[in-house]
Amino acid sequence: MTHRPVALGATCDLHETSDDGRTVSFAVSEFVELEGARRVVLRGGLGFTAGWNSPSPIWSSWTEESLTQDVLNVVLPDEDDTGEDHPWEWLAELARGRGVVVTADQLRRLPYEVELTGRVRRLISAGRDQR
């Protein structure tokens, strides 16, 4: 039985924080969610590092919205006609390679959700408490 894709998404987790709090690395994985809440990981090993020179920890400047946008900048596909390495068709090929029957156009129309893990939410909360 084939399950229809209902959403795309990414999970962002805390990977590493420097001792002085000025550099934070995040691990990101991307998934497609199918009917019935089953998830298929399309790719892992993504991530990004953020840093700054202020004496206060970097996370004191983040909100859930700003960090969500940073994750989207890492994972959202480029438009197919740009010649970039990460087009929607490539993402559809990853999904098909994992048994999900889907086209690039179908993926493009799905909602995209970013999930911040509890560790990331606690980091953001600690930053709010320092403001």
Coordinates of all heavy atoms in Angstrom, one line a residue, residues 12 124 127 129:
C12 N 15.7 20.2 13.8 CA 16.9 20.9 14.2 C 17.2 20.5 15.6 O 16.4 20.7 16.5 CB 16.7 22.4 14.0 SG 18.1 23.3 14.5
I124 N 17.0 28.5 23.5 CA 16.3 29.8 23.1 C 15.7 30.3 24.4 O 15.7 31.6 24.6 CB 15.2 29.5 22.1 CG1 15.9 29.2 20.7 CG2 14.3 30.7 21.9 CD1 14.9 28.7 19.7
G127 N 18.2 32.1 26.4 CA 18.5 33.4 25.9 C 17.5 34.4 26.2 O 17.8 35.6 26.5
D129 N 15.7 34.5 28.9 CA 15.9 34.8 30.3 C 17.0 35.8 30.5 O 17.1 36.5 31.5 CB 16.1 33.5 31.1 CG 14.9 32.6 31.1 OD1 13.8 33.1 30.8 OD2 15.1 31.4 31.5

